[in-house]
Amino acid sequence: MHTDSINLDGFKLAQSRINGMVRETPLIKSQPLKRDLTPQGSLSLKLENLQPTGSFKVRGALNTLHTLTKEQKNKGLITASGGNHGLAVAYAAFLAEVPALIYLPTSTSPEKLKKLQSWGAKTCTLGDVWDEANKGALAEAKASNMTYIHPFAEPNVIYGQGTISLEILEMNPDIDVLLVAIGGGGLIAGVAAAAKLIKPEIRIIGIEPIGAPTHHASREAGEL
């Protein structure tokens, strides 16, 4: 997605496409907690864990599904995932009544594999990390002509994830800082872009786990 192509209408269109297939999850105050995390203000949580598959990923997958032709859908959907995007694609395929094949690293837990299969998806474990599983998914997509959905570098996925900002700022227009997980970048790209289009002065802070500070390390190195 090029920055000059990002527009608020794209996020609103995504919101209308996925309406009724995802939950408008609640925005709740973090209190009461054992200790006050924000003595200088208030903290709210957007409960995307209440989505049908347990994460925000359904937004991007379903928005992308709506952009596919009937022929593309009928070929079946394929992707590579650490788990949550795979569940989202499996859920989208379930709703569209088409096949789904999800490639995952061999480290994926049996519980996640069972969840994927419960939505009707076929699974294939390959490699130690997502990159290796993704190479397998791309090769299979080319060989079988299935429709590949990237977990984060797909504009319609980014637009779908960004619908979270539309809900947050409608529920509480006074929010001035968003803390967003980075991961592959699809969530924060969509959330940050949408939020800035609605409220240019809002501050976005990306969060990464200490054990996988990929974006932080890239910024320090000055390259990917």
Side-chain angles (χ1 to χ4, degrees):
M1 179 186 289
H2 298 291
T3 53
D4 58 359
S5 69
I6 298 174
N7 59 80
L8 190 56
D9 287 342
F11 292 107
K12 291 181 177 179
L13 177 59
Q15 188 176 45
S16 68
R17 284 171 174 162
I18 65 178
N19 182 44
M21 293 188 294
V22 303
R23 296 184 175 120
E24 186 176 296
T25 55
L27 184 70
I28 67 167
K29 295 289 187 182
S30 61
Q31 290 81 9
L33 293 175
K34 186 175 182 180
R35 63 186 180 89
D36 190 358
L37 297 177
T38 54
Q40 304 302 320
S42 62
L43 175 67
S44 296
L45 307 172
K46 190 74 162 79
L47 302 189
E48 284 295 288
N49 59 310
L50 298 180
Q51 292 295 356
T53 62
S55 87
F56 67 89
K57 297 278 190 175
V58 291
R59 296 173 181 267
L62 289 172
N63 185 48
T64 303
L65 180 72
H66 273 277
T67 68
L68 301 178
T69 65
K70 184 177 181 181
E71 181 182 5
Q72 287 174 315
K73 294 175 187 175
N74 288 339
K75 289 176 180 177
L77 308 181
I78 184 171
T79 194
S81 168
N84 287 331
H85 174 68
L87 283 167
V89 171
Y91 177 64
F94 171 81
L95 293 180
E97 299 181 335
V98 298
L101 174 57
I102 315 299
Y103 274 69
L104 306 108
T106 54
S107 57
T108 304
S109 69
E111 290 76 17
K112 279 194 175 180
L113 291 175
K114 287 180 182 178
K115 284 183 180 179
L116 284 162
Q117 293 159 4
S118 73
W119 284 111
K122 293 183 178 180
T123 59
C124 178
T125 54
L126 178 68
D128 296 328
V129 293
W130 175 84
D131 301 75
E132 294 172 358
N134 191 48
K135 287 180 181 178
L138 290 169
E140 178 61 30
K142 185 176 181 179
S144 61
N145 205 28
M146 296 182 77
T147 300
Y148 173 80
I149 300 179
H150 198 286
F152 47 83
E154 157 61 45
N156 289 304
V157 167
I158 293 172
Y159 271 123
Q161 320 304 32
T163 59
I164 294 174
S165 283
L166 273 60
E167 292 179 14
I168 289 174
L169 291 174
E170 182 177 346
M171 294 171 175
N172 186 351
D174 295 328
I175 284 179
D176 54 1
V177 179
L178 293 178
L179 305 176
V180 190
I182 295 178
L187 174 66
I188 193 167
V191 167
K196 286 286 187 178
L197 286 167
I198 298 169
K199 189 173 183 177
E201 70 275 18
I202 199 167
R203 186 182 178 201
I204 314 294
I205 300 177
I207 308 296
E208 287 185 306
I210 291 174
T214 310
H215 185 70
H216 179 74
S218 294
R219 288 173 67 97
E220 286 199 335
E223 59 182 345
L224 292 176

